[in-house]
Amino acid sequence: MRVGIVGLPNVGKSTLFNALTQASVPAENYPFCTIDPNVGRAAVPDERLSKLADLIGPEKVVPATVDFVDIAGLVKGASRGEGLGNQFLGHIRDVDAIVEVVRCFNDPDVSHVDQVLDPRSDIETIELELILADLEVVNRRRAKIERQKKSGERCYIKAYEYLDSLLRHLESGHVARTAPSIPEGLEYELADLNLLTAKPLLIVANVGDDGLSGETAHRWEQVKQAAAERGAGALWLAAKLEAELWELAPDERAVFLAELGASEPGLYRLLRESFKLLDLITFFTTTGGHEVRAWPIKRGTTAVQAAGQIHTDMAKGFIRAEVVAYDDLIEAGSFAAVSKLGRMRLEGRDYEVQDGDIIHFRFNV
């Protein structure tokens, strides 16, 4: 599961990526500094994992992670191949969700690609290019289905009707995310459309070091409104400040946050929101006193599928899942106590894993 970081040139994408992954990606003041997509992995902060570690005292603690892809900046005409348009669009197709960085900070030393700082216009520029790319995909598929529906098969007729309505939706300037979902029974015919504007979206307002003050606060309101209109989430942070924060030692970082009046880094909010954007939940495993690990899975994952995330042999030889709810374990204080209270459950292969479940899988190979 990957999240792509997109935006116009010079909005702070690579700065944000550096802060998220503590990687070293060039962040220069010119378009297309990031030509090839850089991929990094960031740990998702989860207080539950820390409390489990305190309770069990394992040798190793492994958090859930999210992969981020820093994608080259987009310009007008990307859908026609302008700039690095073809690469940009291709890289977005390969991610599961999108974080769009929008510039809300003033800095005379960092040029804006359009010379005017207007967050709503920037959002519309990227959106238009993605819609145009989606229109091309829908038109091609519609032409193919039009030939197939001559067979008289109802599935093709229904698929054509859906694509026709989707085409009109996109042509009116709306994103696929706000269109009706694919009708039941047509998943096979339309499953691989992979529309760019259908992907979950989080818009990040990149503000200056002063946070939400003056004109920046007005720009943030514009971003929030634009996100709501598009069925997207929104948050703000100062990417440059976040990057500087992660260059400090942990104790210095805590002092810096206290001076800012912040309880935690802004990146923690972004990581949690990215996790939600992918519709992920977390279950935990404990291996004696050796390891406590958080596993990210899609909401609705069954016990046997979750076992397969750990190892395919566990799914093949699945017998049962011994499940304890996180809150029950913390309240009881130990696995022995929670078992004595009768709060350890035995679940079968079709059990739908819940967020916070602590699971021990029984299997035989």
Side-chain angles (χ1 to χ4, degrees):
M1 303 294 289
R2 288 183 169 191
V3 176
I5 303 177
V6 307
L8 297 176
N10 297 341
V11 298
K13 292 186 302 85
S14 294
T15 301
L16 180 60
F17 178 84
N18 289 348
L20 275 169
T21 62
Q22 301 182 53
S24 180
V25 177
E28 304 293 343
N29 177 27
Y30 59 87
F32 314 129
C33 170
T34 307
I35 296 177
D36 295 317
N38 297 280
V39 181
R41 181 164 291 175
V44 179
D46 192 329
E47 187 181 45
R48 297 172 301 180
L49 184 65
S50 301
K51 288 187 175 180
L52 284 175
D54 291 341
L55 183 67
I56 297 170
E59 299 172 11
K60 186 178 181 182
V61 178
V62 184
T65 60
V66 174
D67 284 356
F68 288 90
V69 184
D70 184 23
I71 298 173
L74 171 147
V75 294
K76 290 178 182 177
S79 58
R80 302 189 304 274
E82 294 292 333
L84 294 171
N86 292 330
Q87 293 183 44
F88 174 91
L89 297 172
H91 294 150
I92 296 180
R93 293 197 194 283
D94 290 338
V95 302
D96 302 287
I98 300 170
V99 165
E100 180 181 334
V101 182
V102 179
R103 177 173 169 176
C104 292
F105 64 88
N106 288 309
D107 189 337
D109 296 327
V110 180
S111 61
H112 188 284
V113 69
D114 289 331
Q115 307 306 317
V116 178
L117 187 53
D118 184 344
R120 178 173 281 277
S121 176
D122 292 353
I123 291 169
E124 290 170 351
T125 294
I126 290 182
E127 180 178 83
L128 176 59
E129 297 304 324
L130 300 188
I131 287 175
L132 290 172
D134 282 349
L135 277 169
E136 185 178 347
V137 171
V138 173
N139 267 311
R140 284 201 308 266
R141 180 57 60 84
R142 181 170 169 266
K144 178 182 178 181
I145 296 293
E146 186 174 19
R147 294 191 299 270
Q148 292 173 318
K149 80 183 182 77
K150 292 177 182 178
S151 67
E153 291 187 45
R154 185 170 176 78
C155 63
Y156 294 128
I157 295 172
K158 287 293 184 182
Y160 181 84
E161 291 173 352
Y162 175 77
L163 289 172
D164 203 47
S165 66
L166 180 57
L167 190 65
R168 290 195 299 272
H169 183 82
L170 293 168
E171 286 176 337
S172 64
H174 299 298
V175 294
R177 194 178 310 107
T178 59
S181 56
I182 294 174
E184 187 177 349
L186 297 180
E187 292 84 2
Y188 177 77
E189 288 77 14
L190 303 175
D192 59 345
L193 282 175
N194 194 21
L195 299 181
L196 302 179
T197 62
K199 294 180 184 293
L201 173 67
L202 175 68
I203 303 178
V204 175
N206 186 12
V207 304
D209 292 353
D210 294 332
L212 299 182
S213 60
E215 186 63 23
T216 302
H218 173 65
R219 295 181 187 127
W220 164 235
E221 290 301 320
Q222 289 183 310
V223 170
K224 282 198 298 183
Q225 182 179 353
E229 292 168 358
R230 290 156 175 79
L235 62 80
W236 68 271
L237 52 73
K240 184 179 178 182
L241 198 65
E242 293 289 336
E244 292 171 352
L245 181 66
W246 289 102
E247 293 176 356
L248 302 175
D251 55 342
E252 295 175 322
R253 194 181 305 151
V255 172
F256 190 23
L257 283 170
E259 291 174 352
L260 294 173
S263 59
E264 64 177 7
L267 290 182
Y268 283 5
R269 290 185 290 119
L270 175 56
L271 283 162
R272 293 193 190 101
E273 288 301 315
S274 297
F275 205 70
K276 292 179 184 176
L277 199 64
L278 294 167
D279 197 25
L280 298 175
I281 62 171
T282 303
F283 76 91
F284 303 95
T285 57
T286 62
T287 311
H290 174 63
E291 178 185 274
V292 173
R293 181 185 289 258
W295 297 88
I297 54 172
K298 289 288 286 185
R299 191 178 305 278
T301 296
T302 63
V304 69
Q305 291 169 334
Q309 292 287 318
I310 301 174
H311 199 286
T312 54
D313 284 349
M314 295 180 73
K316 291 176 182 176
F318 182 93
I319 299 173
R320 66 178 181 271
E322 298 173 356
V323 183
V324 175
Y326 168 81
D327 289 339
D328 286 343
L329 177 61
I330 296 301
E331 182 183 341
S334 69
F335 282 105
V338 83
S339 180
K340 188 175 180 179
L341 291 169
R343 294 182 182 175
M344 179 179 290
R345 310 187 312 274
L346 300 181
E347 302 287 358
R349 60 189 298 113
D350 295 327
Y351 167 72
E352 188 174 303
V353 177
Q354 301 299 302
D355 187 38
D357 278 350
I358 303 156
I359 307 178
H360 179 67
F361 294 101
R362 297 289 183 181
F363 66 102
N364 181 31
V365 178

